[in-house]
Amino acid sequence: MNNVLNVINNSIPVALFLASLFSYIVLRPIYNILNELKEAIKELRTELKNAEKDRRQMNERIIKLEESIKSAHHRIDELRDKLQT
């Protein structure tokens, strides 16, 4: 019984060292990569919002241009009709 307790007692520091080593070698890089991915996702969300805003502005400009072109065609048609008469 005493021998088992000594083995357990001696194994605890080794286990803690291995756990710390595992954390430093394996988990730390994973956490760093996850944080980098988190930042990249934030940047992509911001870019996506900006792109959506730009698209809406372009859509508004296209609508105005189409209205202006329609009006110009109407005026051109009126001028052509006046010239033909």
Side-chain angles (χ1 to χ4, degrees):
M1 179 74 171
N2 198 16
N3 196 16
V4 172
L5 289 176
N6 281 338
V7 169
I8 291 173
N9 217 11
N10 292 333
S11 299
I12 289 175
V14 172
L16 289 174
F17 173 76
L18 291 175
S20 298
L21 192 63
F22 178 79
S23 175
Y24 185 78
I25 292 174
V26 176
L27 296 180
R28 187 173 179 201
I30 291 173
Y31 289 139
N32 290 339
I33 290 170
L34 288 174
N35 284 332
E36 290 174 11
L37 285 172
K38 181 181 174 183
E39 291 302 316
I41 289 171
K42 282 182 184 179
E43 289 177 18
L44 285 172
R45 283 183 179 155
T46 301
E47 288 180 23
L48 185 60
K49 286 178 185 177
N50 291 338
E52 179 64 21
K53 182 180 175 184
D54 291 344
R55 188 197 61 78
R56 286 184 184 143
Q57 290 174 344
M58 288 283 216
N59 194 35
E60 291 173 8
R61 289 179 64 194
I62 289 171
I63 290 170
K64 289 178 184 177
L65 284 172
E66 287 173 342
E67 290 171 354
S68 178
I69 290 170
K70 184 177 178 181
S71 176
H73 278 288
H74 182 70
R75 288 192 305 268
I76 290 170
D77 290 342
E78 286 178 353
L79 288 172
R80 184 182 56 216
D81 289 344
K82 285 182 181 180
L83 288 174
Q84 289 177 350
T85 57

